[in-house]
Amino acid sequence: MKTSRMMFYSDYISEQQLLKAVRNSSCLDKCYVAMYEKKWNQKDHERINLHHVNKARNEVGNLEFVLIREEDIYPRPDDTPMHIEVKCRNYMLDRAKHDGNDCILLQDTDEFLMREDYDFLFNDYYDQMLGIGCNMATIRCMTFWKNWNYMVVDEDGNAFQSTQDMIENRRYKLGSWKNFMLTLNSNLYFEDWDVRNSVKSWILYDVFLYHGSWILTDEEVSQKIRMWGHSTDATGEEWREWYEEVWLKWGSESDEISMKNKKFPVWKKAVPYQGKLPLECR
C-alpha cells in the first residue's frame, strides 16, 4: 500500500513546526506540502521561505513541495480564503491519485499522531476499507491551547464528542472529530471543507489526533486570524477584539477563550492536560 499525506503550508507556520510535522509522518511514502503562489506572495505574507521546505525535504527525504499557481485552481475574484484552500486541497488530491497513491492522510502541519497509530491505521483500516467498500476513516481530535499542557473543552467540559452522540445525530461536532484518511480509488473531492461524492461509508476509530492549532506565538496568531480559511467566520474587527481581549489576556483555565456572541471558536475554555503526547510534541 502506498500512503501519503497532504499539508497546507501557511506563513505563520515556523520552520521548526514544519520539521516536526514531517518527522512525525516520516513513515509515509510521500508528503505533499502545498502553497498557493498568489495568496502567500501578498505584501504581509512575504515571510514564507522555501528554505524551510528544502530543509525538511533534505532531512526526511520524502517531501514533495507542490507550488500551486493560479492556472491550476482557476480562482474567482469573490473566492474567500476557505474557497482557495479547498481548491488547493483538491489539486493535491488529484496529484496524489496521479502519483499512484492508495490512500492519503488529511493532516495539516499542526496535527500529530502516535507512531503506533499510523501503523494501526495502515494495517487495520486499509484491509477493512477494501473488505466493506468503505473509503474514509474518521478519528478523534484533541485541540491544544498556547502549549501542549492545555487542551480546549466545550461549555460542558468535554474535549471531544462521544461516539454515541455522533452516531445518533449523524454529524460530528466541529473540532471534535476529523475526516482523516481517504482511499484514492473513488471520485472523492472537497467542497466547503468537507469531503463529498462517493463516500459510501466510513469507519470511526478511537485514534487521537493531537491538534496544535493554537500553539503559536502572539505574532503567529495575529497572522493566522487574518489569513487562514476560517478568517471569514467573523469580521476583522471581531477577530482583532478576540486577539486583544482573549488571546493576549488569557491567564488561567477560568478564562473563556470563545468569541463573544459567536459559535466560533467552538471551544469554551482551556484546561490542563497531563496525558501522553507524540514524540514531536514533548
Side-chain angles (χ1 to χ4, degrees):
M1 180 177 66
K2 189 176 180 181
T3 59
S4 58
R5 168 182 179 174
M6 70 163 66
M7 295 190 292
F8 204 77
Y9 185 35
S10 302
D11 79 341
Y12 56 82
I13 302 299
S14 68
E15 175 184 354
Q16 198 59 35
Q17 184 168 330
L18 179 63
L19 287 171
K20 287 181 179 181
V22 296
R23 286 171 188 155
N24 182 249
S25 57
S26 59
C27 57
L28 304 181
D29 294 294
K30 184 170 286 190
C31 184
Y32 297 92
V33 181
M35 184 178 83
Y36 177 46
E37 186 180 41
K38 184 175 180 180
K39 182 178 180 182
W40 309 138
N41 280 346
Q42 295 173 5
K43 278 190 176 181
D44 57 344
H45 304 266
E46 290 174 354
R47 200 166 58 86
I48 275 285
N49 192 332
L50 295 186
H51 169 72
H52 295 180
V53 178
N54 290 330
K55 184 173 181 179
R57 182 192 289 119
N58 292 336
E59 178 171 322
V60 179
N62 61 352
L63 183 68
E64 178 160 339
F65 177 66
V66 183
L67 179 62
I68 301 176
R69 298 177 174 84
E70 264 192 283
E71 58 266 27
D72 295 324
I73 63 171
Y74 304 104
R76 297 175 1 187
D78 60 343
D79 274 346
T80 65
M82 182 65 81
H83 290 147
I84 294 292
E85 196 163 327
V86 167
K87 288 180 177 181
C88 290
R89 291 186 184 276
N90 280 325
Y91 183 83
M92 279 194 286
L93 199 61
D94 288 340
R95 181 72 168 264
K97 291 178 183 178
H98 181 267
D99 290 346
N101 290 279
D102 297 298
C103 61
I104 193 165
L105 306 184
L106 313 179
Q107 185 179 5
D108 281 335
T109 50
D110 56 4
E111 297 172 340
F112 299 85
L113 277 184
M114 295 288 188
R115 181 54 54 89
E116 59 267 28
D117 288 334
Y118 280 114
D119 296 336
F120 169 76
L121 286 171
F122 297 156
N123 295 330
D124 182 71
Y125 164 77
Y126 194 68
D127 288 342
Q128 287 195 43
M129 298 280 280
L130 295 179
I132 65 176
C134 176
N135 50 14
M136 184 170 72
T138 300
I139 64 176
R140 294 186 181 276
C141 180
M142 290 192 294
T143 300
F144 291 79
W145 176 262
K146 298 279 187 175
N147 56 57
W148 295 107
N149 297 320
Y150 285 90
M151 64 186 295
V152 298
V153 295
D154 64 16
E155 62 276 3
D156 297 318
N158 298 318
F160 41 78
Q161 179 186 27
S162 69
T163 306
Q164 181 179 354
D165 183 62
M166 178 181 178
I167 294 173
E168 289 178 353
N169 291 290
R170 300 186 63 82
R171 64 179 299 171
Y172 62 82
K173 185 174 182 178
L174 179 66
S176 190
W177 296 84
K178 178 166 182 175
N179 296 332
F180 185 70
M181 190 171 180
L182 304 175
T183 57
L184 296 176
N185 57 358
S186 55
N187 185 29
L188 296 170
Y189 65 94
F190 290 93
E191 181 180 319
D192 295 332
W193 196 237
D194 221 343
V195 182
R196 306 287 184 183
N197 203 21
S198 300
V199 178
K200 300 173 184 177
S201 60
W202 66 92
I203 300 175
L204 305 179
Y205 278 116
D206 278 330
V207 168
F208 287 95
L209 183 70
Y210 299 81
H211 190 190
S213 178
W214 298 105
I215 301 181
L216 300 167
T217 66
D218 293 347
E219 179 187 357
E220 289 165 346
V221 169
S222 178
Q223 293 186 36
K224 175 174 180 170
I225 61 178
R226 294 199 310 271
M227 61 184 290
W228 71 329
H230 290 289
S231 61
T232 55
D233 288 5
T235 66
E237 182 58 37
E238 287 171 328
W239 276 119
R240 282 191 294 274
E241 181 181 359
W242 178 86
Y243 175 74
E244 293 171 0
E245 298 298 322
V246 176
W247 176 263
L248 292 180
K249 293 183 179 180
W250 184 86
S252 72
E253 58 188 279
S254 63
D255 295 341
E256 292 192 3
I257 62 174
S258 55
M259 186 179 293
K260 293 178 181 178
N261 304 318
K262 289 283 182 179
K263 294 181 179 180
F264 192 89
V266 295
W267 305 108
K268 195 72 171 177
K269 293 184 178 181
V271 299
Y273 175 78
Q274 297 178 332
K276 61 182 183 177
L277 288 167
L279 177 63
E280 293 79 9
C281 305
R282 299 172 196 166

